[in-house]
Amino acid sequence: MVLREFGEYFFEFCKRSGYDHMLRTLGGNLYEFIENLDALHSYLSLSYQEMNAPSFRVEKNEDGSMHLHYYSDRRGLYHIVPGIIGAAALDFFNIEISMEIVNQTEEEERTGKKEHIVFLVTQNPVLSYKERKKFSFSPQYLADSEKQNDTQLNDKKSENAIRGGSVCPVKKSHWKTIRGIITLGKGKLLRGFDPVYPKTLWIDTKTFCNGLPFHMVFDKELRVKQAGVSIQKIVPGLQTMGICLDHYFSIVHPEVPFTISSIQKFINSQFVFQTKREMMPESWKQRPMLELRGQMIWMESLQCMLYLCSPLLRTLHELEERQMHIADIAPHDVTRDLILLNQQRLAEMELSNQLERKKEELRVLSKHLEEEKKKTEALLYAMLPQHVANQLKEGKRVEAGEFQECTILFSDVVTFTNICAQCEPIQIVLMLNSMYLQFDRLTTVHDVYKVETIGDAYMVVGGVPVPVSTHAERVANFALGIIIAAKGVQNPVSGNPIQIRVGIHTGPVLAGVVGEKMPRYCLFGDTVNIASRMESHGVPSKIHLSSSAYHCLKYKNFEMTERGEIEVKGKGKMHTYFLVRNKTACENEIMGRPIKDLDSGRESAQSFQEDRAEMVPSSHQTGRVNLTYLYLLKQMHVNTTTLSVLFCSSFSYS
């Protein structure tokens, strides 16, 4: 019941999918509809080459019933067939049918469609649409309805007999009415049709073979009696009359044995023949085999079978592979149009695929372009302030700005000239790069703007280009950070940590973009000169402050010491100071390192120290301190070998 319901649903699904018109035109009655199902599947296989459709064959019985033969290599799905056929009969022809299985076999001699089911199809009384909607299709209802119809018909007969009238016939379906009316001449209507045949055949043999270039006539023993000119050119063996057809061809569809009895049994099906490679000429060995598709007609008077066929070709490429031409196909054969139309469809599909590929390529290129744009913007923002860079990108003119108060820092490497004289250039580059990488990271940590680097000189500013009130504190913390960072950079000459001088000054500046080819955001004013003098007159590893910078930091939790008055080149005597430390920030905060991990390390070290207290005597307190230090080193992932060496030396020292 589930499969039958699915069959009815599948029929409705096919209608909704756009096959409604195609299905309606298959035949004028149920017999013709079923008879042409295989032809529909053959047509659809042109577009869906992987389709594996079942096969249908129908036989009429004398009592008006039909035997439907269903072949499929998918076993167990035959219960779908009554659902599909029943829904089609009710929808297209307004008839109700009942289908019962009368035979079920598996044909071992068939090469593909193993399961063979025979259904007996009988037509039930026709009901109106309202009656079908009002009542269910139970057998009891159908029996009662049939009796009621018979009673009403007898009553009408009696009534008409009394009145001398005739019985009103049951209204025929639309298709029966159309098929029953044939117009001959002008307005003459007949209820039947008898074809007229000439006494002699008015066509000679040569014309027939040229007009139907792909046809073959063979007898019961499969001996070829006649063949079209094109099929003779492709299969030269057919020029020898009397050869056996099954020596040169095999049946692809329907999958039946190559015998006259099997062909007659499937006479209403489309037959597909394929040439055998071993029987083809040497020139055909590398080509794909040719397939023929057509209709079988049994000629009773001659006891021969006529095969009217055409080459089964889908595209021009398949035509070229077989070294054939459009001219080989008769002009009246629709295979020409089919090949050209399908080629046009394939060309449109290829064009659509190309557009999709181009679209995907453009999407990838757009993604890469966006990534490159981000890299370019990152590089641009590293050279210029972001708002200034955005104005330049938009083609706007960047006006110079005056800042009433900002803090400028200069730094340089002590004895840099001597180091350059004693080292290779690459060593200098590596040393400066190692130092500047750490400095650049600290500019992000303390949110100060890096103006430029010239050799070993490094210049930053706070409060420019975005004015902030904490410009002095930011620069001071940055200065403390670079003093610490410089201790981790090695002097390539001596191997000791390098030393830097730092100078800081606070005052007004004028800032703007200079140049077009390589624009730079530069600072102008006496504040820049004084900051540079603070650096050049500074002390190694010290942060030299001007009096204005000192007053900005005086009440900001910074420890500073007075240097006194010094002679400054070009400025005379100036009272200056040294910045020592930040009273509220630890070293890790200054360097922008995570603090939580180190705090937990201290707690773990304290716990470790308490655990060792019972094991270590009081006279070895120095060793316990060293153990605590070593444990902290281990928490910071120090090399194990180095740790063990330090561990042993600590006990030796204590």
Side-chain angles (χ1 to χ4, degrees), residues 161-271:
I162 294 173
R163 295 180 180 179
S166 61
V167 178
C168 180
V170 178
K171 185 179 179 181
K172 292 186 177 181
S173 68
H174 171 73
W175 283 106
K176 288 183 178 180
T177 303
I178 296 300
R179 293 173 60 83
I181 299 177
I182 308 256
T183 304
L184 296 177
K186 294 184 178 181
K188 186 178 179 182
L189 300 179
L190 297 179
R191 288 290 179 178
F193 170 71
D194 293 323
V196 177
Y197 299 101
K199 293 182 180 180
T200 59
L201 189 63
W202 289 91
I203 183 172
D204 60 81
T205 307
K206 185 176 180 181
T207 303
F208 189 86
C209 291
N210 287 327
L212 298 173
F214 290 93
H215 85 276
M216 290 180 287
V217 178
F218 54 95
D219 59 13
K220 289 184 176 181
E221 285 74 28
L222 303 179
R223 291 193 298 268
V224 177
K225 300 296 184 182
Q226 181 178 314
V229 293
S230 293
I231 191 65
Q232 291 181 31
K233 183 169 62 175
I234 297 172
V235 188
L238 296 179
Q239 293 181 316
T240 305
M241 300 303 168
I243 65 169
C244 289
L245 190 64
D246 58 344
H247 290 173
Y248 287 86
F249 294 92
S250 60
I251 299 179
V252 177
H253 178 82
E255 297 170 350
V256 296
F258 208 144
T259 61
I260 285 291
S261 60
S262 298
I263 294 174
Q264 287 178 330
K265 188 182 296 183
F266 289 83
I267 195 72
N268 294 323
S269 300
Q270 280 195 338
F271 278 79

Side-chain angles (χ1 to χ4, degrees), residues 549-562:
Y550 169 79
H551 288 297
C552 286
L553 298 173
K554 187 174 182 180
Y555 303 104
K556 304 295 183 179
N557 294 318
F558 285 94
E559 181 180 340
M560 294 172 286
T561 59
E562 185 177 358

Side-chain angles (χ1 to χ4, degrees), residues 379-530:
L379 181 61
L380 186 60
Y381 294 154
M383 298 172 61
L384 297 170
Q386 186 169 348
H387 73 281
V388 173
N390 291 335
Q391 291 181 15
L392 291 176
K393 280 166 54 180
E394 295 171 1
K396 297 179 181 179
R397 181 182 179 86
V398 181
E399 300 292 340
E402 184 177 357
F403 296 85
Q404 295 299 325
E405 189 176 63
C406 68
T407 301
I408 298 176
L409 175 146
F410 277 93
S411 73
D412 72 340
V413 179
V414 179
T415 66
F416 181 72
T417 305
N418 297 334
I419 296 174
C420 292
Q422 302 178 44
C423 293
E424 296 291 332
I426 187 63
Q427 293 178 297
I428 302 299
V429 172
L430 293 176
M431 180 192 73
L432 291 178
N433 185 59
S434 174
M435 180 177 69
Y436 287 164
L437 283 176
Q438 298 186 58
F439 288 8
D440 291 344
R441 188 184 68 84
L442 289 172
T443 60
T444 304
V445 172
H446 299 290
D447 196 14
V448 293
Y449 178 67
K450 174 185 174 182
V451 180
E452 62 181 350
T453 57
I454 302 176
D456 64 324
Y458 195 93
M459 177 183 178
V460 299
V461 61
V464 175
V466 180
V468 290
S469 59
T470 58
H471 54 87
E473 297 95 300
R474 295 183 182 189
V475 174
N477 287 324
F478 173 80
L480 293 171
I482 62 175
I483 291 293
I484 298 172
K487 296 177 181 178
V489 180
Q490 191 177 30
N491 186 328
V493 177
S494 63
N496 298 322
I498 63 172
Q499 290 182 314
I500 62 173
R501 285 189 299 261
V502 179
I504 299 176
H505 177 63
T506 300
V509 295
L510 185 69
V513 178
V514 177
E516 291 183 356
K517 189 173 182 180
M518 291 187 65
R520 299 296 299 174
Y521 189 73
C522 298
L523 305 181
F524 304 94
D526 194 51
T527 302
V528 179
N529 297 328
I530 296 176

